[in-house]
Every structure is written in structure tokens, then in C-alpha cells.
Amino acid sequence: MNREQVSRTLQQHGAVMVLGILVVVGSLGFDSFATPANAASVVVSSSFLAIIAIGMTFVIISGGIDLSVGSLFVLGGVLAAYGSQYGFLVALLLPLVVCGVVGLLQGLVIARTGMAPFIVTLAGLLGVRGLMLAISDEGATTYLVKDTAFATLGQGEILGLSYPVYVTMALALTAMVLLQRTGFGQNVYAIGGNEQAAALMGVPVARTKVYVYVMSGLLAGLAGALNAARLSSGVTILGIGLELDAIAAVVIGGTLLTGGAGGVTGSVAGVLLLGVIQSLINQVGSLTSAFQQVVSGVFLALVVVAQRLLSKAQRLT
């Protein structure tokens, strides 16, 4: 294996390798770490972020960014809890429709006007959170999930894992196939690699961009709805900074912020890596939860530097 192949392998699968190392270290250092209960806790708590990260992976590979997903997550939860009084279908479809429409609008603005995704989705972040506050009376009203079947969607378990974990697994597998085995996935890579060249090759650039932002909005809304089902309420204080966690997980997983490279497997590994870091900090006991942000920030910085060095190594070979 030459240097270029080693660099590419480390870039694509580095998060999986580091995740494996941390799991081994945690298992050897803490008796309660390598237990089924702790493993299930990490997986379940990471599933909602993983759903959002799947959509973010497509966005970042295409060369964009979506800062609105944290607000869409909390809006999805509030709408799901509100809609649950009208039954299971309304509770599930209402957040998907509204969040999907937000993603559609953002995608259309980005694709048709050429505005920077950072600005458009930052406006979406603020606007969506304002909409959520308006629906919830400035956060004073917390809607409770009233449909038992919908609550079961978030709380039911199979083999010790809640239903959202299996939804996440199904979405991840579907996204892998979509990204690696379809023309749409190849278009996403092409646009992120070189948008002008992709357009000259006949790639439907505008349409593909719209699709990835619709996907991101839908998945953020779905994650919020599942979280509301799990908590039996549409909590209005969630989602702050969640977009940064999603971006961090995707980048840690090997997806380049410049676009054109990355994958869903790495993003899921990045999410689990953040979850394992939090679990290890909890195992230590003497560290506060705020320390997890410090560790995650340092880890993200190291990953970005490593990606830069690996990219240079690939160009030199």
C-alpha cells in the first residue's frame, strides 16, 4: 500500500479506528464502561444526532452547510407533540412536512440565487427558532405527546435498544446506498468536488442542491419527532448548538468541509465517537459535562489539521 492509499484510508476510516481504540481503553480502564447497559445508553442517546448527521453528510459533501438543523430538530419535536393530539399520522407527518418545506425553501434560495449556504441557513436557524417560539408561546407552553402509538415509536424496545436506533440504522444503510450506488450520490460528489466542471458535464447542479437541503430538513424534523416521542413532550429548550455537533461529527468522520469527499459510515462513527467521549468523561466522575465540549473541540481541531496534512500527502504522490 503506497502513501496515497494510506492517506486516503486514514482520512475515510480514521474515526472508526479511533473509536475502536477509545472503546478498548474505556473497557480496560472502567469496569462499568463495557457493559450492555452503558453501550445501549451511548447508542440510544447518539441515534438522534446520527439521523441529523446523515443529512448533514450529503450537504457538506455537496460543498454546502446547514446551520438550521438544530432549530428544525426542536421545531420537529414541538410540532410532533402538538400533532399527537390528532393521532399517529399527524404527529409524524406534520414535522416532516414543515421541516421538509423549510429545507426546500433554503435549497431553492441557495441553488437559484447563488447565495452562500452559511448565510441562508443561518437565517433559517433564526427564523425556524422564532417560529417554534411563536407556536409554543415563547417557550411557555410544552405540548405533551397524547398518542400512545406515537410515544411507543420513541420508547419501545427490541433487544434492549429503542426503536429510534433501528430507524437510524435503516436510514444509514439507505443513505450509504444512495450516496455510493446511485447517480444522485455521484452528482453530490461531483458538485462538491468542482461545481463548474459538474455543470459542464451535465450534472443537474441546482436540482441536486435542492434535494440535499430537503433531505437535511426532513431528517432533522424526523429526529426531533422521534425525540419528542421518546420524551413524551415537545421540549422547547433542546437543539441549541446541535448543528455544530452534527457538523463536528461529520467532519470527524472524514468528510471534507470543502466538499467532494466523505461518507455516511464515517459520520455515524463520528457521532458514536462523540458519544463515547461523553461516556468516558462520565466514567471519570470528577469532570463536568462542560469538559466534553472542550475535548470535542480539541479533537475536531486535530482532525481538521490531520485532514489537511493527509490531503497534502495525497497531492504529493
Side-chain angles (χ1 to χ4, degrees):
M1 183 179 293
N2 58 36
R3 183 188 300 179
E4 182 180 2
Q5 291 174 320
V6 172
S7 299
R8 185 178 294 110
T9 299
L10 289 175
Q11 181 177 309
Q12 295 176 347
H13 306 293
V16 177
M17 298 176 186
V18 175
L19 176 61
I21 293 171
L22 286 182
V23 169
V24 171
V25 171
S27 300
L28 295 176
F30 304 98
D31 294 335
S32 59
F33 179 82
T35 61
N38 186 62
S41 176
V42 171
V43 172
V44 171
S45 61
S46 299
S47 60
F48 307 101
L49 178 59
I51 292 174
I52 298 174
I54 291 170
M56 187 69 75
T57 302
F58 281 79
V59 172
I60 294 181
I61 290 176
S62 72
I65 201 78
D66 191 351
L67 300 179
S68 67
V69 292
S71 295
L72 288 171
F73 173 79
V74 68
L75 176 64
V78 171
L79 290 175
Y82 171 79
S84 67
Q85 62 185 309
Y86 302 106
F88 179 89
L89 287 179
V90 176
L92 184 60
L93 293 179
L94 181 60
L96 292 181
V97 171
V98 174
C99 294
V101 168
V102 172
L104 174 63
L105 294 176
Q106 292 183 147
L108 287 173
V109 172
I110 292 168
R112 299 299 182 184
T113 68
M115 291 181 64
F118 180 90
I119 299 300
V120 175
T121 59
L122 178 60
L125 180 155
L126 300 173
V128 170
R129 189 160 290 275
L131 176 60
M132 181 276 297
L133 290 174
I135 295 173
S136 61
D137 300 321
E138 301 295 327
T141 301
T142 300
Y143 296 103
L144 301 179
V145 172
K146 298 181 178 181
D147 185 81
T148 305
F150 183 68
T152 302
L153 181 63
Q155 300 169 14
E157 294 185 355
I158 298 177
L159 300 176
L161 296 176
S162 61
Y163 291 162
V165 175
Y166 295 99
V167 173
T168 304
M169 293 169 60
L171 289 172
L173 290 173
T174 302
M176 289 177 199
V177 174
L178 190 63
L179 193 58
Q180 301 292 338
R181 302 295 181 184
T182 67
F184 168 71
Q186 298 310 305
N187 290 343
V188 173
Y189 280 113
I191 293 171
N194 190 317
E195 184 174 329
Q196 289 72 30
L200 292 174
M201 291 166 52
V203 173
V205 174
R207 186 171 63 195
T208 303
K209 284 186 175 182
V210 171
Y211 285 163
V212 297
Y213 283 98
V214 170
M215 181 185 301
S216 182
L218 283 171
L219 291 177
L222 175 61
L226 292 174
N227 191 56
R230 181 188 178 212
L231 300 177
S232 293
S233 64
V235 182
T236 59
I237 60 174
L238 299 176
I240 299 175
L242 190 61
E243 61 280 346
L244 301 180
D245 291 336
I247 294 169
V250 172
V251 174
I252 288 172
T255 298
L256 298 180
L257 274 173
T258 52
V264 174
T265 303
S267 297
V268 173
V271 171
L272 291 174
L273 190 54
L274 294 179
V276 167
I277 290 173
Q278 178 64 65
S279 178
L280 288 173
I281 290 173
N282 293 338
Q283 296 290 328
V284 173
S286 60
L287 300 175
T288 64
S289 59
F291 192 75
Q292 189 261 344
Q293 300 296 326
V294 177
V295 175
S296 298
V298 172
F299 196 83
L300 176 60
L302 292 175
V303 168
V304 172
V305 172
Q307 285 185 350
R308 182 78 172 178
L309 295 175
L310 291 172
S311 296
K312 286 183 177 181
Q314 290 180 35
R315 288 197 296 268
L316 291 174
T317 54

